[in-house]
Amino acid sequence: MHLADPTVMCEDQQLKVALALLDENRTDPLNAGVELCLKILLNVVAAPAEPKFRQIRTTNARVKDTLWTLRGGRLALLAAGFVESGESIVMDNVDVPRIERVIAALKQLLAARLERDCSAKRAHADAVRLSQQKSVEERSNMKLSISDDAASRREPGWRPQVSAAAAKGGSTITTATDIGASGDCC
């Protein structure tokens, strides 16, 4: 996906693109990055006048490793109202409703991802259970067939079937029809 300059996009576009990019990440990094982003945004909402919550150094190891490596992580903060300023991103004007919309969207993204992951796990568990049931049924049918065969051998007058190969002695087999294969398909 080719992204336009995030400073030119409107807030809704930034949020939509950020959410789409975030959703492309694997679950574990997504959870860690979104949790950090939520913590940052919730701190700003809790204390909008506190400057330490409205400035984040982009060189901070945790931010760099958790949020900047996450596709869409930076853009989520920009959608909340942060702007890039040198080696930091800052929020000069605190727009609490805007931040709360981003917080709600991020929480919804995490909930949707959790539901998808749970559905995928349930589907996988169902497939494994079905496969196991099929194996148990096949084993049961095989045991039943073996016990039926054993019972029929104990019946009076039972005689073993001799294959064509055994009847000819094995060494005199020269064609496929000698062993009962006629070559007719289906």
Side-chain angles (χ1 to χ4, degrees):
M1 174 187 283
H2 178 69
L3 298 177
D5 184 1
T7 58
V8 177
M9 285 192 275
C10 75
E11 161 196 347
D12 289 337
Q13 288 174 324
Q14 284 179 328
L15 184 56
K16 285 180 184 178
V17 172
L19 293 173
L21 289 173
L22 284 168
D23 201 29
E24 293 176 1
N25 291 288
R26 289 187 346 251
T27 299
D28 290 340
L30 174 71
N31 289 341
V34 170
E35 290 298 326
L36 178 59
C37 189
L38 286 171
K39 182 178 179 181
I40 291 167
L41 296 176
L42 288 169
N43 284 340
V44 173
V45 170
E50 186 64 47
K52 72 178 182 180
F53 294 136
R54 294 181 298 141
Q55 179 174 352
I56 302 162
R57 287 180 297 116
T58 57
T59 57
N60 177 303
R62 184 166 179 220
V63 170
K64 196 163 59 172
D65 294 343
T66 307
L67 205 50
W68 274 199
T69 58
L70 196 65
R71 292 193 68 186
R74 180 178 136 272
L75 194 55
L77 290 177
L78 296 177
F82 280 93
V83 292
E84 296 185 69
S85 175
E87 289 191 7
S88 297
I89 60 169
V90 295
M91 184 180 283
D92 294 326
N93 301 321
V94 177
D95 182 356
V96 174
R98 178 180 180 179
I99 296 170
E100 287 175 340
R101 282 192 301 275
V102 173
I103 289 171
L106 290 173
K107 286 180 177 180
Q108 185 178 4
L109 174 70
L110 286 181
R113 175 60 71 91
L114 179 63
E115 179 58 34
R116 277 198 321 256
D117 288 351
C118 288
S119 288
K121 286 179 183 177
R122 279 193 301 270
H124 177 71
D126 290 345
V128 167
R129 195 174 309 110
L130 185 63
S131 173
Q132 288 173 341
Q133 287 174 345
K134 187 176 179 180
S135 294
V136 166
E137 287 175 13
E138 288 173 355
R139 233 178 278 123
S140 175
N141 288 339
M142 188 179 294
K143 285 180 181 179
L144 185 60
S145 174
I146 291 170
S147 68
D148 285 347
D149 187 49
S152 67
R153 288 174 189 241
R154 285 189 292 264
E155 290 179 6
W158 179 85
R159 296 177 63 99
Q161 297 285 331
V162 178
S163 70
K168 286 193 145 197
S171 62
T172 58
I173 297 174
T174 57
T175 65
T177 55
D178 290 342
I179 58 170
S182 64
D184 292 337
C185 180
C186 306

